[in-house]
Amino acid sequence: MKQLTCIVCPRGCQLNIDDNNVVTGNFCPRGKNYAISEITNPTRIVTSTMKVLNSNEVRVPVKTSKPIKKDLMFEIMDKINSKLVYAPIKIGDILIENVDGDNTDIIATKNIDVK
């Protein structure tokens, strides 16, 4: 039996999931779905920043375009940290294409103007 805290809503239900994927402790069906997903295929949205050149802003906030497999997080962070981008940047611009080999992009979440 594994114990998890549900993060789908602010309630934070304490979930238990057994080897047969039977979930207890959830207040709503979303908790059950979260627990099963977290045990069978954990994913995360990665949020970070990237270095920006030719702007007064030194970094641009970024995120993955969709959840990625949790075990790829460090590999993706290495790719984000090794790349420099140039202003101007618009919200939604793709700064790294297909970062995980599964068509997930790194996208900008802030507009950045040129110096």
Side-chain angles (χ1 to χ4, degrees):
M1 174 120 10
K2 297 224 180 204
Q3 295 181 335
L4 303 167
T5 300
C6 184
I7 60 170
V8 177
C9 74
R11 188 178 195 103
C13 295
Q14 298 301 305
L15 308 175
N16 294 304
I17 184 167
D18 68 16
D19 295 335
N20 296 317
N21 290 339
V22 174
V23 179
T24 58
N26 55 304
F27 183 75
C28 68
R30 294 181 300 168
K32 176 182 178 185
N33 295 337
Y34 167 77
I36 292 170
S37 174
E38 187 65 14
I39 296 301
T40 60
N41 184 29
T43 61
R44 297 290 185 273
I45 294 281
V46 173
T47 60
S48 187
T49 61
M50 292 176 69
K51 293 179 185 176
V52 177
L53 299 175
N54 74 314
S55 175
N56 291 330
E57 305 273 347
V58 294
R59 301 191 76 78
V60 59
V62 298
K63 70 174 192 161
T64 52
S65 59
K66 63 182 182 180
I68 54 102
K69 294 178 182 177
K70 188 176 175 183
D71 60 353
L72 294 177
M73 287 179 64
F74 291 109
E75 177 184 329
I76 288 172
M77 283 303 304
D78 287 343
K79 290 178 182 180
I80 290 171
N81 290 331
S82 68
K83 177 123 169 131
L84 299 173
V85 292
Y86 291 88
I89 299 167
K90 300 290 181 211
I91 293 174
D93 282 355
I94 297 172
L95 303 179
I96 303 175
E97 289 186 21
N98 195 21
V99 71
D100 64 349
D102 195 25
N103 296 316
T104 304
D105 301 322
I106 300 298
I107 59 173
T109 61
K110 181 181 178 182
N111 293 327
I112 304 291
D113 293 323
V114 176
K115 240 186 225 186

